């Protein structure tokens, strides 16, 4: 999973519209990741096609995105992969000093 996709799904623990996702990802990464509209909407379209998210309109007719159960399952697997990666970083980082 790309870092962009990871942070988008991480953001969608609650429903957000596109601009809200952009701001939340920026906040979570302390400004390191700033998503452009092409990147975010391309990723959201792929996630919807892959059934990782659902899309609906709120009462103000804004498009809102929310993670599905499949999306949550994929995130759990990705988090396990990243935990393993982190553990190996800690284990071997001294070899690269």
């Amino acid at each position: 999973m790309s870092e962009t996709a990871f942070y988008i799904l991480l953001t969608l623990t609650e429903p957000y519209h596109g601009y809200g996702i952009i701001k939340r990802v920026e906040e979570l990464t302390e400004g390191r990741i700033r998503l452009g509209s092409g990147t975010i909407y391309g990723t959201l379209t792929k996630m919807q096609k892959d059934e990782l998210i659902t899309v609906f309109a709120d009462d103000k007719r804004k498009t809102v995105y929310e993670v599905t159960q499949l999306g949550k399952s994929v995130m759990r697997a990705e988090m396990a992969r990243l935990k393993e990666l982190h553990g190996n970083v800690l284990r071997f980082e001294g070899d690269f000093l």
Side-chain angles (χ1 to χ4, degrees):
M1 175 181 299
S2 71
E3 188 175 22
T4 297
F6 176 83
Y7 275 108
I8 289 172
L9 278 180
L10 189 66
T11 297
L12 293 177
T13 55
E14 59 185 81
Y16 272 101
H17 54 82
Y19 182 73
I21 295 169
I22 290 170
K23 298 313 281 178
R24 182 71 177 134
V25 168
E26 192 173 319
E27 177 186 308
L28 287 170
T29 64
E30 298 179 354
R32 185 176 57 81
I33 297 176
R34 296 181 182 193
L35 300 173
S37 58
T39 300
I40 188 171
Y41 291 111
T43 304
L44 287 167
T45 298
K46 182 174 181 342
M47 287 179 167
Q48 182 182 13
K49 180 181 167 194
D50 294 342
E51 300 181 354
L52 302 179
I53 63 170
T54 57
V55 181
F56 59 94
D58 67 8
D59 56 348
K60 297 176 186 172
R61 299 189 333 165
K62 286 189 174 187
T63 302
V64 177
Y65 305 90
E66 186 172 26
V67 68
T68 62
Q69 287 302 315
L70 176 60
K72 288 178 181 181
S73 177
V74 168
M75 269 303 273
R76 285 191 300 272
E78 181 64 5
M79 288 176 166
R81 184 188 75 82
L82 291 171
K83 284 178 184 178
E84 176 189 330
L85 184 114
H86 181 255
N88 284 320
V89 165
L90 295 175
R91 183 175 165 200
F92 292 102
E93 71 182 328
D95 296 346
F96 293 92
L97 298 177

